[in-house]
Structure formats: C-alpha cells, structure tokens
Amino acid sequence: MTYRRAALAAAQVSTLALMVAATPSWAQQASAPQTTPPETAAAPTDDAQAPDIVVTGFRASLNAAINQKRRETAAVDSIVAEDIGKFPDSNLAESMQRIPGVALARGDGGEGRNISVRGLGAAFTRVRINGMEGTAQTGSSDIYGAGNSGRSFDFNVFPTEIFSELAVRKTPSADVEEGSLGATVDLTAPKPLAGKRDFTLTATARGIYNELSKKVNPRASLLVSKKFADGTFGVLASVAYQQRDIREVGYSAVDILSSNTNGGFCSPVGFTPVNPAVGSKGASATECYPGVPRTSTAAAYNTIVNARRADLPNTPGSGAFLPRIPRYLNSTQNQKRIGGTLTFQWQPDSATDISLDLLYSRFDVVRRDNYIAGLSFGRSATNNGQPVTSVKDVQLSPKGSLVYGLFDGVDVRSEGLVDRFVSTFKQANLNLKHDFTDRFGVTGLFGINESVFDNKQRFQSFMDAIDTPNFSVDYRKGNDTPLLGFGFNVADPNAFAYGPALADGTVRGGYNFQGKPSVNTNNGTTGELNFHWKVSDSLTLKAGGQYRRADFTVRNLVPYTADVVTKALPAGTTLASLTTQIKGVDQLWGNGAPASWAALDPDKLISTFNLNAVRYCGIECGAQSSRVLEEVSSAYAMAAFDLGERLGGIGVRGDAGVRYVHTDQTSSGYISIALPSSPTGVTGSFQSASKRYSDWLPSGNLVIEPVRNLLFRFSGAKVLARPELAQLTPTSGITATTRVGSFQNPQLDPIRATTFDAAVEWYFRPGALLSAAFFYKDIKSYVQNVNTQEVFNTLGLPAALLNGTNTAPTEIFTISRPTNTPGGKLKGIEANVQMPFTFLPGFLKNFGALANYTHVTSRIRYILASVNGVPTVTTTADLVGLSKNTASGTLYYEDRKFSIRSTANWRDGFIRGIPASPGSDLQGNSETLFVDASASYNVNDNIKLIVEGTNLTGEQNRLYTDSVRQDTLFQTRIGRTFTFGVNFKL
C-alpha cells in the first residue's frame, strides 16, 4: 500500500470509527417502523434535531443532495448549489469526484476535463443540459488526446457558476433515454421561481494565482433573478468570466521504442556485422556517415545488441528500450472562459410550469509548447537518425529499460508549437409541464443546441543541431524522469541550423501547419412528450416518445504545398534574430533542465516568411471532410408503483418498463487520391454509408424499506452506448511506401450490456448516510482498433492511390480499423459515508465528513492482430480508462460565520491504451492524489470572503509505457493554485 492509499484509508477509518462510536445514541430511532410512505417521507432535518445549528452553505448543499438521493427510485447522486449562484466547486468535473464511483480525468494544467463512472470512461457517459443531451468538445496537448472528436463530454468548456445542480444517474429507467453504459449526468441551470426571494442579486469576484505562471488572473460572476406578477413569472440571468494563465514544465519521451526499431546504432570500428553497412549513404569502416566517426565502444554496443526480447530472440537490440524523443518541455496556456444563462419561467397555477432556457459558453485557448529534445532515437537511416548515432556508454535495467546512456551523433531539436482553439456551446430549450387533473398530466421538451470546436491554428516550428556529441540520458538518481545532457550550449541560437532539407535526407529546421485549421460541429435537436396517469395512490403509468437528431461534421483545410515549403532565411536575416529564450524550467522542474534554450519565435517566423498569406483549400485538395447524421426515435412505457406499508409494514416502491429505440445513421467522407493538378497533389473522393438498428431495452428498479431509514435498492436493465462519432465515418488513409493504412468503420454496432445493481442505504441520522453498493455489467461487445493483414485490392480503394509508389495492388497492407469485438465482465463495489458531527459537544458539532471508496474489476479480451478478420494475437486486461480503486474524503467545518473544508481525491493507476509500441503491452497512467481546500467568512448577511487552494501537495501526473517496465512517457509539474475572492448578494 502506497502512502497515498494509506492516507486515504486512515481518513476513512477515522470517519467510520467516529460514526460507529456515536451510533448507539440514535440506533433505536432508526429501527422504528415506518409510518409515512417513502416518497413523501422527508428525512429529518438538522433544524428539527438541533435548532442551535444553522444549516446553510456546504452542509445545506449536502442535505439537499442526500434527500434527493433518498427519494429517487434509481441510484442517483447529486451535487447541489450551496446558494443561488454559488456552486460548491470551481470545476464541474472536480465536483463529481466526491460522488462514489466517479473518477476524474485531468487534462492540461491539471484541470478536470471529463469523468469515468464505475470504471467506464467518458465515451460511455451521457450528459444532459437542462434535460437535453449535449456534447462539448475542446482541445488539449497530444499526450492527453488532443482534440475531442467523439461523444466524450469536456466539462472544462463551462464555468461552474452558470449551473445550480448536477446529478449522476447510475442505474437506468425506461423514461430516461438510452446511450450510457456508465451513467447519465444532468447539469441544471438555476430557475427564477425556485428561490424564496422576489429579487436576487449575487456577484463574486476572484483573483487566481498559480505558483508556476506567477500571474494573478481574474474570475467573476453575476446572477440576477426577479419575480413578477405575484410570483407567477420570473426572469433569471447569469454570466461568468474567467481568465487563466497556466504553465506546465516537465519531461516527455513521446514513445518508448526497442533499439532495433529504427535500424540500431552505429557499430564500433572493427565490429562485424557493420552497421550501417559500408557504402550505405557514404558510411565507411571508420565513419557512420561522412564526417561522423564511429565512436561506439564495444562494451556499450554489445550491451544493447545482446538485449533481446523473448519473442524476438534473433533480433539484436529488441530487448533494449529507449525513449523515442527524450525532451524537456515548457507549456503555457492563455485561457478565457465565458458563459451565461437566460431563463424565463411561468407558473400561472400549481398545475402548469413553462420555462425557456438559453445557455451559452465559450472557451478560448492559446497553447504554446516548447521542447528541447534528442531526435535520433526516433529517426531511421532515411533522415540519418539512429544508425548514424554511436553509443559510448550504456546501462540497462534487468528488464531492458535505459538507466544511463552517452551518445555521439545525436540530432538535437528546439521545437515550438502554437495551438489556438475555441470551443463554443449554445442551447435553447423549452420545457413544459401541465397537470390536466390531479391524476393525469403531460411534460414535454423541445430543444436545439450547437457545439463547435474550432481549431483555428496549429503551427509547429523547429530548428536542429545535427550530429552533436556527448548527448546523455541519465536515470541513475532513481527518478521517474531522466537528467538530459545536450553536450553543447542550447541557449546559443548559432548552434542550430534552419533551412530546407538536404539531398541526403538531413532535416535542418522548418515549420508545419499540421493540416489546420479544422472545425468540428455537432448540431443537436431533441423533441419529447411524456404522459403520466396516476391510476391509484400506489400505481402510476408513464409513456412517451422522443426524437433526437445529431449532425456531426468535420471540416479541415490544408495549405497549398508551395506556400509552406521550408525556405532558406532571407539575406541579412540571422537565426538569432528570429529566436527567443525559454527560461525558468530548470528552477521549476530541475532534473538537469537547462537554464534556458533558444527557440524560434513563431510570430517573427510568420512575419519573416509572410505565412499569414498562406493559401488553403478543402476537399478539392484532399483535406478531410466527414459527416455523421444520427437520428434516434424512441418510445417507452413503464409503471411506477408505491405499495407503502402494505407488505407487513415494509415499504416497497419501484418502477418497471421497456424502451424501444430505432437508430438511423448516415455517414459520408472523403478519401485522398492522387491529382497532380491539385495545389497539394491530391484530391478527395466521396464515400458514403448507412446503417440502421433497433433495440428493446427493459429496465426495472426496486426499493425496499423494511424499517424507517434503511433502504435496499435493486436494479436490472439492458443498456447500450454508441461508438465514437469519428469512428463512424467512411474515411481512410494509406501510406503506400510502408504498406500501412487506417480505416474508420461506419458499420460498427453499438456497445450493448446487461447490468445489475444492488445497494443498501442507512439514513441513520439527519443529514447522514452510510451505504454500500454492488454493480455488475456484462458487456456483450466492445470497440477496438484492430490491426489486420489485408490485400490492397480487397480494400475497396481506388487503384490511383498507388500511382507513383511502385506498390502493386496485390501486396499486403497492415490495416488498423475499429472493430466490434467480444466484451467482458465488469463488477465492483462502492462504500459511502456522509455524516455531520452534530452529536459532538460545543464547536465540534459544526464538523462533518464524507468519504467514499470504489473497487472495480474487469476482464476484456483485446485483439492485437488478425489476418482476414481472424485474431492471431490477443491479450486480456482491464478496460481502458478503468481504475481498480478510487477514493475521496472530505472534512469540513461550518458555523454561522465561518466555513472550511478540505478534500482528497485518490485515483489508482489505469490503462490509457492497448497495445503500445512493439515490445510494450500497454500505455498507462500512474496513481494520483490531489488535495484541495476552501474557506469562507461571512462578514455580514451580504458579504462573504473566499479563499481556495487546489493541488496543495503539488501532485504530478505520470504516464508510462509497459505494465512491467513502466518507463516514463510524460510527467509534468502544474503547481499549486490559490484563489482569493469576495461574494456580494442581496
């Protein structure tokens, strides 16, 4: 057990011990028979039990959430605003960490991006905003998946202040639309008639400081709500703005490769066989390449050559694993996030409620990444890479990982990347509810939304120092990341080269627009109508129908080839005049990072070569363009029952029903074919496909309350989740020279599963809960990218793709294609405790705690390779994105004036991808423990002071390759963040 596990375990044990010690004083009350039907029995409030304790703020939020959980038939956990316009956390995804079974996936800057629920990742979680399904997509660094082009919901698009509640529905019912294997998350904006006051105004202003960026950024929100016409009509408007400067520093390996991958190292003088062979691109018996001597030592070279994997015993160097591009990184982000809501609500009488909700959010980011890196381990002989590099000294671990290496002939690169993207979300939806009688009523919803991820710019620039001596990679201090030695002054721009590639394949520097800009757009439309008929006091029948339409499009532009060819520097222009210095990484990261390094200034480079005048074109130049149109029609019928205490004084309630779903899917896209007259030498060829399928999805929930405050829950259902949107396009691409290709698959079937849940909940005291749950999911199918060997002329691609490549249509290609594969079983347990310490004397009664723990296991069969659809290489492992163990603990104190709380969230390691590079079974993420805290002080009834701190322990996220070696892929420092603010309300 690591210190992280021990810390959380100790916190949970302490909380449970306090609860158990105090239990006898109220155990008798809990065993009393129930006298009120469960759906109307409200949990006792703190006000009734202890009138001297004012239940407001965070404690009121917890009480509201626990009462909602108790009333629900399905398994639902909520986070409720502490007050109107006051959500309890600074990030929606971070809020949900307090919910049992929810694990947070963090992105750039350590900010929460999306979630997994009970081991199922973001792609299996549906999100509804004000009752309407929505998608929100944004970008990130490549290591965290870059731009989101799927169904995963990126919560960091939205400021928290525009919502009043979020709920995580873990078990389905027939009246909730399908699409989730993990959970359905509901985000709800505040309503003007929900508050007690006729007029409400609340404003908050904050300053945010991060110890790495060393900048103070503003964050502000305003909410105004007003009731009219004797409280029957209301208007609420909210707006929130945040600016944030983020800085990350650290190390990246990009990938981990066996030393034979790119042709091995340059052999020592006199070694047989000679590598590279004498005569190969000018290699001689004494030189790896003209002007580059063979300086490898026999001992070091033999250490690598003799390291061989068990599956490749005859391949020299296959068992020695080195970072592909070892590099230090400095990443900065300038973020601007703005959001707002406008709601009109009309309740002319108690039977009618009509509301129009308008919501807008915009997330604008400019990310600037800079790297100083050794390139040769990721380069082949084509561009004079690893075979031109000599190894003078090396140490390997018993498992083959690099411990220390000293090399000559290494190409060193200073690389920069500017990534500008804007995510916008707009939604308008009309909700109505009307009871025609006290037994029959109708609810309806009509809404439209649009999510746009606009990647406006992705500009890469670099300059290289060729064949440098004494480059070192040193892990000998026992750190997860190495000390890199570059062998020369990387701060000197004159040590680098810039210009067109040489005829021998040497790359000296340049720039790349990386096929941008691009725009992903998802337009959604939803219409639904639901009827309910209360047949009797114990039985209500429900039925309804829904239509959903999602139109997902991807539009890319590519630059004219002639406009982006790397050119020599203009006469009179020096490389030094186009560069800047990247400073401070050594102080923030350490591990031998240089005090500064020279890097191209992208603005100067763009100006010098007039790159703002670069011309772009679309599908006529082979740019990717695709569309997926998904139309879902569904209808359901269900019965909700409440037998009260008719079964011998035992409360029984629940629901049972079935949902019928029909899906029509049409997809289209373009593949690239040669067209010499095109500005890029290729053009797009249109492809289309269609698919339809139907499903019957039964579900049922049962709640039994044998004694007051003790609930047993049971749930069973058939569920489905649809594949990622980008996987459903009929697009493909091949590289004829290496005979590899990548296909999407519009004929993918949905992922279907059968689920069962059981839980026990004990509401042993006002505001308190002790619960445990078991869940089981039999995943019938899964979607994996499978590599298969196929003959080109069986792929259905035009033969023109092979023009000029000397590749015959009868040759075999390795094709990667998303494929439906057998799934597997997933099961787990949750434990949860929430308790205010109102039984303690004096000020101690103002304390409280909540803690949860989830354990999940799964066994998924992964197909690593196949021939003509028949698996040839398989493995069994956990579901990608599943952490076997997650835990969260919060300790809080709250009185009339002062409130403080601290939360620790621990997530076990998990798999990020299967397979990894040859010789490595997977890519993984190490465990993390993040600790946050917040405090507030009520100066008076109108003014509150706020202090918050996140990542107080300075936790770092680490990604690795291979489950046994666990070689570091990526690790950065994000630093601590502190917030100071003031809230004013009327």
Side-chain angles (χ1 to χ4, degrees):
M1 178 178 290
T2 65
Y3 78 92
R4 295 177 172 88
R5 300 186 188 184
L8 273 173
Q12 293 168 3
V13 168
S14 299
T15 300
L16 289 170
L18 283 169
M19 184 203 71
V20 171
T23 296
S25 63
W26 61 77
Q28 184 175 358
Q29 172 194 337
S31 63
Q34 181 177 323
T35 59
T36 310
E39 78 278 11
T40 60
T45 65
D46 285 314
D47 293 312
Q49 291 286 321
D52 58 325
I53 297 176
V54 178
V55 184
T56 59
F58 185 65
R59 180 171 292 178
S61 170
L62 296 178
N63 284 356
I66 204 173
N67 288 337
Q68 288 185 19
K69 177 180 180 67
R70 179 173 180 165
R71 288 193 298 266
E72 290 282 353
T73 303
V76 180
D77 290 287
S78 304
I79 302 288
V80 180
E82 299 179 14
D83 196 356
I84 188 166
K86 176 61 174 73
F87 207 77
D89 298 278
S90 59
N91 180 285
L92 292 171
E94 292 169 4
S95 293
M96 284 183 274
Q97 292 180 110
R98 295 202 304 269
I99 293 177
V102 174
L104 178 63
R106 296 178 183 267
D108 298 329
E111 187 174 42
R113 183 178 178 185
N114 44 49
I115 63 169
S116 67
V117 182
R118 291 180 165 178
L120 293 160
F124 300 109
T125 299
R126 291 180 59 253
V127 177
R128 302 189 300 187
I129 300 175
N130 292 329
M132 180 183 175
E133 183 175 26
T135 60
Q137 301 173 336
T138 189
S140 73
S141 56
D142 292 344
I143 197 70
Y144 287 124
N148 177 0
S149 60
R151 301 180 191 272
S152 304
F153 192 92
D154 291 334
F155 289 90
N156 56 341
V157 171
F158 300 91
T160 61
E161 292 91 341
I162 64 175
F163 296 106
S164 61
E165 180 181 341
L166 67 83
V168 179
R169 179 180 294 269
K170 301 175 185 174
T171 62
S173 56
D175 59 342
V176 176
E177 59 267 36
E178 83 303 327
S180 163
L181 259 64
T184 295
V185 176
D186 281 298
L187 302 178
T188 305
K191 299 284 189 181
L193 300 184
K196 297 179 181 180
R197 297 185 292 270
D198 287 339
F199 176 77
T200 299
L201 183 148
T202 177
T204 304
R206 292 180 171 93
I208 303 172
Y209 175 81
N210 178 268
E211 65 174 339
L212 267 62
S213 68
K214 301 187 183 303
K215 295 181 179 179
V216 177
N217 297 132
R219 177 174 182 171
S221 63
L222 174 68
L223 182 146
V224 179
S225 178
K226 173 64 177 174
K227 296 179 183 179
F228 303 91
D230 296 324
T232 61
F233 181 75
V235 180
L236 184 148
S238 70
V239 63
Y241 173 81
Q242 178 182 357
Q243 180 179 328
R244 190 177 179 196
D245 291 300
I246 293 174
R247 186 178 186 185
E248 291 186 70
V249 296
Y251 167 80
S252 170
V254 180
D255 201 353
I256 303 295
L257 303 177
S258 55
S259 67
N260 63 296
T261 303
N262 286 302
F265 288 100
C266 181
S267 58
V269 174
F271 192 90
T272 302
V274 178
N275 187 53
V278 173
S280 173
K281 299 185 72 171
S284 68
T286 58
E287 291 183 321
C288 313
Y289 181 81
V292 183
R294 296 179 182 269
T295 58
S296 289
T297 64
Y301 191 79
N302 280 322
T303 296
I304 290 178
V305 167
N306 293 331
R308 308 188 183 195
R309 299 204 312 263
D311 59 324
L312 294 174
N314 298 319
T315 302
S318 60
F321 296 91
L322 285 74
R324 178 180 172 229
I325 306 178
R327 59 189 186 177
Y328 292 120
L329 68 91
N330 180 81
S331 178
T332 63
Q333 282 194 34
N334 305 112
Q335 299 180 347
K336 294 180 181 178
R337 185 187 285 112
I338 187 169
T341 65
L342 179 61
T343 299
F344 303 92
Q345 187 178 14
W346 183 42
Q347 291 179 348
D349 51 52
S350 60
T352 306
D353 188 344
I354 302 174
S355 63
L356 174 65
D357 297 289
L358 307 175
L359 185 144
Y360 173 83
S361 186
R362 175 184 171 92
F363 186 42
D364 190 334
V365 179
V366 178
R367 194 180 85 246
R368 297 176 182 268
D369 296 341
N370 285 97
Y371 306 94
I372 186 70
L375 283 182
S376 294
F377 312 111
R379 284 180 163 177
S380 65
T382 303
N383 45 14
N384 304 319
Q386 189 171 320
V388 180
T389 301
S390 295
V391 51
K392 297 193 294 185
D393 193 5
V394 71
Q395 294 179 31
L396 301 176
S397 74
K399 299 172 184 177
S401 299
L402 181 67
V403 175
Y404 173 74
L406 180 64
F407 308 90
D408 284 346
V410 175
D411 299 338
V412 173
R413 169 169 289 182
S414 175
E415 178 183 343
L417 174 69
V418 179
D419 195 4
R420 164 81 191 282
F421 54 86
V422 178
S423 298
T424 57
F425 183 89
K426 306 172 188 176
Q427 179 169 305
N429 60 292
L430 180 69
N431 290 272
L432 62 91
K433 171 183 176 294
H434 180 69
D435 294 328
F436 294 96
T437 70
D438 58 354
R439 290 187 176 272
F440 179 74
V442 62
T443 63
L445 177 149
F446 175 77
I448 55 175
N449 58 30
E450 180 186 67
S451 174
V452 179
F453 169 47
D454 186 357
N455 204 158
K456 295 179 177 294
Q457 181 189 51
R458 189 174 171 89
F459 179 70
Q460 178 192 34
S461 58
F462 52 92
M463 56 185 185
D464 293 353
I466 306 300
D467 299 329
T468 66
N470 297 317
F471 181 90
S472 60
V473 182
D474 190 352
Y475 285 93
R476 290 177 298 184
K477 290 186 177 180
N479 296 328
D480 291 329
T481 60
L483 185 156
L484 303 180
F486 296 93
F488 69 100
N489 182 13
V490 292
D492 181 7
N494 297 313
F496 294 89
Y498 179 92
L502 302 179
D504 64 1
T506 299
V507 178
R508 300 183 299 165
Y511 50 83
N512 183 1
F513 282 89
Q514 299 191 353
K516 304 294 179 180
S518 67
V519 180
N520 295 359
T521 303
N522 200 328
N523 287 295
T525 303
T526 298
E528 68 175 52
L529 202 59
N530 307 286
F531 302 92
H532 58 272
W533 175 33
K534 190 173 183 179
V535 179
S536 67
D537 290 342
S538 59
L539 178 64
T540 300
L541 300 181
K542 298 182 180 181
Q546 185 189 71
Y547 170 80
R548 301 199 311 272
R549 185 179 189 266
D551 190 354
F552 175 71
T553 60
V554 177
R555 296 286 185 269
N556 280 352
L557 295 177
V558 293
Y560 280 33
T561 302
D563 291 359
V564 293
V565 172
T566 299
K567 303 176 181 65
L569 295 177
T573 300
T574 64
L575 194 54
S577 69
L578 299 181
T579 60
T580 185
Q581 292 289 321
I582 307 301
K583 299 179 179 179
V585 176
D586 60 324
Q587 297 178 9
L588 299 174
W589 180 247
N591 276 26
S596 66
W597 71 81
L600 287 167
D601 185 313
D603 296 327
K604 293 179 181 178
L605 192 66
I606 289 172
S607 175
T608 298
F609 291 102
N610 194 25
L611 297 180
N612 285 323
V614 168
R615 294 165 292 175
Y616 293 88
C617 49
I619 56 177
E620 70 276 14
C621 296
Q624 181 190 3
S625 178
S626 59
R627 179 185 185 189
V628 178
L629 178 61
E630 191 176 77
E631 295 180 284
V632 179
S633 303
S634 62
Y636 74 93
M638 66 178 288
F641 55 90
D642 186 345
L643 303 182
E645 301 174 35
R646 299 178 185 177
L647 301 179
I650 298 175
V652 178
R653 57 190 169 98
D655 62 66
V658 63
R659 190 176 192 92
Y660 171 77
V661 184
H662 177 76
T663 304
D664 278 300
Q665 172 192 303
T666 303
S667 55
S668 59
Y670 290 82
I671 63 172
S672 300
I673 60 173
L675 182 66
S677 61
S678 164
T680 60
V682 296
T683 189
S685 175
F686 182 77
Q687 307 283 313
S688 63
S690 61
K691 183 180 177 62
R692 58 177 52 187
Y693 51 91
S694 300
D695 290 270
W696 290 91
L697 303 174
S699 62
N701 294 278
L702 178 66
V703 181
I704 301 174
E705 191 166 0
V707 295
R708 182 173 173 79
N709 300 327
L710 182 66
L711 276 63
F712 292 90
R713 295 184 185 270
F714 303 93
S715 175
K718 287 187 176 181
V719 296
L720 68 81
R722 296 178 175 86
E724 294 279 24
L725 293 166
Q727 295 178 325
L728 298 175
T729 60
T731 56
S732 61
I734 64 163
T735 304
T737 54
T738 56
R739 295 165 182 79
V740 297
S742 175
F743 279 59
Q744 303 304 329
N745 187 355
Q747 299 304 322
L748 284 172
D749 290 324
I751 302 168
R752 298 180 172 95
T754 302
T755 70
F756 172 76
D757 293 75
V760 57
E761 299 168 3
W762 181 25
Y763 298 86
F764 55 87
R765 185 168 177 81
L769 167 67
L770 179 63
S771 67
F774 168 79
F775 52 90
Y776 172 84
K777 301 179 189 293
D778 184 1
I779 303 173
K780 304 296 185 181
S781 66
Y782 191 57
V783 175
Q784 303 174 30
N785 281 321
V786 177
N787 292 328
T788 184
Q789 305 292 313
E790 301 180 42
V791 178
F792 178 85
N793 59 18
T794 66
L795 297 174
L797 298 177
L801 287 173
L802 303 181
N803 290 347
T805 64
N806 296 319
T807 301
T810 56
E811 294 194 48
I812 296 175
F813 277 61
T814 300
I815 302 298
S816 174
R817 181 187 284 109
T819 306
N820 287 111
T821 59
K825 307 293 193 299
L826 181 149
K827 58 184 177 181
I829 57 170
E830 291 175 357
N832 181 37
V833 60
Q834 177 175 319
M835 186 174 63
F837 296 160
T838 50
F839 56 88
L840 295 176
F843 76 95
L844 296 177
K845 64 188 175 186
N846 297 320
F847 280 95
L850 46 151
N852 65 73
Y853 168 75
T854 303
H855 177 75
V856 191
T857 60
S858 65
R859 301 299 291 171
I860 301 295
R861 180 172 176 249
Y862 293 94
I863 299 174
L864 306 183
S866 67
V867 176
N868 296 323
V870 179
T872 56
V873 182
T874 64
T875 189
T876 301
D878 285 326
L879 189 68
V880 170
L882 179 147
S883 290
K884 288 187 176 180
N885 302 283
T886 58
S888 174
T890 298
L891 179 66
Y892 66 89
Y893 174 91
E894 189 168 62
D895 59 27
R896 294 176 184 270
K897 284 283 190 179
F898 184 66
S899 175
I900 186 170
R901 67 179 181 269
S902 179
T903 299
N905 288 285
W906 173 67
R907 181 176 185 180
D908 206 353
F910 59 93
I911 298 172
R912 280 190 168 266
I914 289 180
S917 299
S920 301
D921 59 348
L922 56 81
Q923 289 187 3
N925 202 117
S926 296
E927 63 175 331
T928 55
L929 175 64
F930 283 86
V931 179
D932 306 325
S934 64
S936 64
Y937 177 76
N938 297 318
V939 178
N940 53 42
D941 291 341
N942 305 111
I943 299 175
K944 177 189 292 185
L945 303 180
I946 302 167
V947 179
E948 298 171 343
T950 59
N951 191 27
L952 296 178
T953 59
E955 179 71 315
Q956 300 172 7
N957 195 31
R958 174 177 173 267
L959 281 60
Y960 61 85
T961 284
D962 196 72
S963 61
V964 176
R965 301 191 317 273
Q966 296 198 5
D967 296 324
T968 300
L969 270 180
F970 179 82
Q971 187 169 359
T972 62
R973 183 184 175 204
I974 59 176
R976 301 166 180 85
T977 300
F978 302 96
T979 300
F980 305 88
V982 59
N983 170 258
F984 173 81
K985 66 178 180 180
L986 286 177

